[in-house]
Amino acid sequence: MDTSTLSYAPAAARGAAAPLPRPAAKRSPGFWRAPFDGSTYREIGYTLASLPIAVGGFTFAVTGFSVGVSTATTPVGLPVLAGTLGGARRLGALERRRVRAQLRRETPEPAAPPAVRESGWWARVRARLADGAGWKALLFQTVMFPWRVASFCVSLTFVATGWALALLPAYSWVFPHYVGWPGYRIYDYTSHGEHHQFYLSSPAEIAGTSLLGLAIVFLMPKLVHALTSVDRAAVRGMLG
């Protein structure tokens, strides 16, 4: 038996079995640091930018699908529907890039469109209509529209309200000096001849309001992350 290879075989085996080093996963910011971390505001920016994108995508998807289906018995209908599916694929690619850039989540590319095995425009139309990924991308633009409207409203409300209340001690002096109010006005109206008003003017009221705002600010990152988790799952499940 040739023993000249025995000393090399274990080394080779060890080299083959050694796992490749994996990059360390980026840890999410802690509870106290999250309101000031860049990842939180990337997610907020994602939810805010999603509204105009969702409006455009929903309009495109519904209009293209409606026109294509309603004119399917004419020579125009199926080509319009095929073009709508192609456009939905491109919108899906835009969503994957947004998720990669702002949410730091990689999404695999969908399957390629079916190959065109015949020549002519009708063969290309049929191949596009058989594209399952295109149909899922079209569905994504439709079903995600109401969710993104809700995400926009919730994110903007919590961000604006939280910081406005938390920073009230820094600008409460503006109201008596420049607005003519004794403090921040909660309500001021007259009903049935009786005047009702409430202003945040005392130090205790201002401090309590600021503490409430800070609570909202520190809970905001968890809320926004939960909202964007739905987008991550939807993009991976319907556009990947």
Side-chain angles (χ1 to χ4, degrees):
M1 181 178 64
D2 184 5
T3 60
S4 61
T5 61
L6 291 180
S7 60
Y8 297 96
R14 286 195 300 270
L20 295 175
R22 294 182 178 180
K26 186 181 184 297
R27 297 180 60 184
S28 59
F31 178 80
W32 300 108
R33 191 167 64 89
F36 315 102
D37 191 79
S39 62
T40 297
Y41 292 93
R42 282 197 301 269
E43 292 188 337
I44 292 171
Y46 179 89
T47 61
L48 298 183
S50 290
L51 178 62
I53 294 174
V55 170
F58 179 81
T59 303
F60 171 81
V62 171
T63 303
F65 181 79
S66 301
V67 172
V69 170
S70 62
T71 59
T73 56
T74 70
V76 177
L78 294 182
V80 167
L81 195 56
T84 301
L85 294 178
R89 254 189 176 268
R90 292 180 176 85
L91 290 175
L94 171 64
E95 289 295 335
R96 289 192 298 273
R97 287 196 295 270
R98 291 181 63 226
V99 169
R100 184 183 308 116
Q102 294 184 271
L103 304 184
R104 300 297 194 261
R105 176 62 60 88
E106 291 291 337
T107 304
E109 296 288 329
V116 181
R117 303 185 182 278
E118 302 174 10
S119 60
W121 68 273
W122 179 241
R124 293 193 295 272
V125 168
R126 286 185 307 183
R128 181 61 72 181
L129 292 177
D131 181 16
W135 285 105
K136 289 200 299 181
L138 188 69
L139 182 64
F140 176 90
Q141 299 299 330
T142 305
V143 300
M144 289 301 290
F145 173 68
W147 172 255
R148 288 183 161 176
V149 172
S151 296
F152 175 90
C153 295
V154 172
S155 298
L156 184 60
T157 300
F158 269 74
V159 173
T161 302
W163 282 113
L165 297 181
L167 297 176
L168 179 60
Y171 62 87
S172 59
W173 59 272
V174 171
F175 302 108
H177 284 81
Y178 295 101
V179 184
W181 298 348
Y184 183 82
R185 183 167 67 180
I186 302 300
Y187 59 80
D188 189 341
Y189 67 94
T190 301
S191 176
H192 302 291
E194 186 176 354
H195 187 219
H196 304 272
Q197 65 177 10
F198 182 72
Y199 291 85
L200 299 174
S201 55
S202 70
E205 291 169 344
I206 294 173
T209 302
S210 180
L211 289 176
L212 175 62
L214 286 173
I216 296 174
V217 165
F218 279 97
L219 292 174
M220 171 193 65
K222 297 295 184 183
L223 173 66
V224 175
H225 185 73
L227 294 174
T228 56
S229 294
V230 175
D231 290 83
R232 290 182 181 91
V235 169
R236 186 171 185 86
M238 302 179 72
L239 300 180

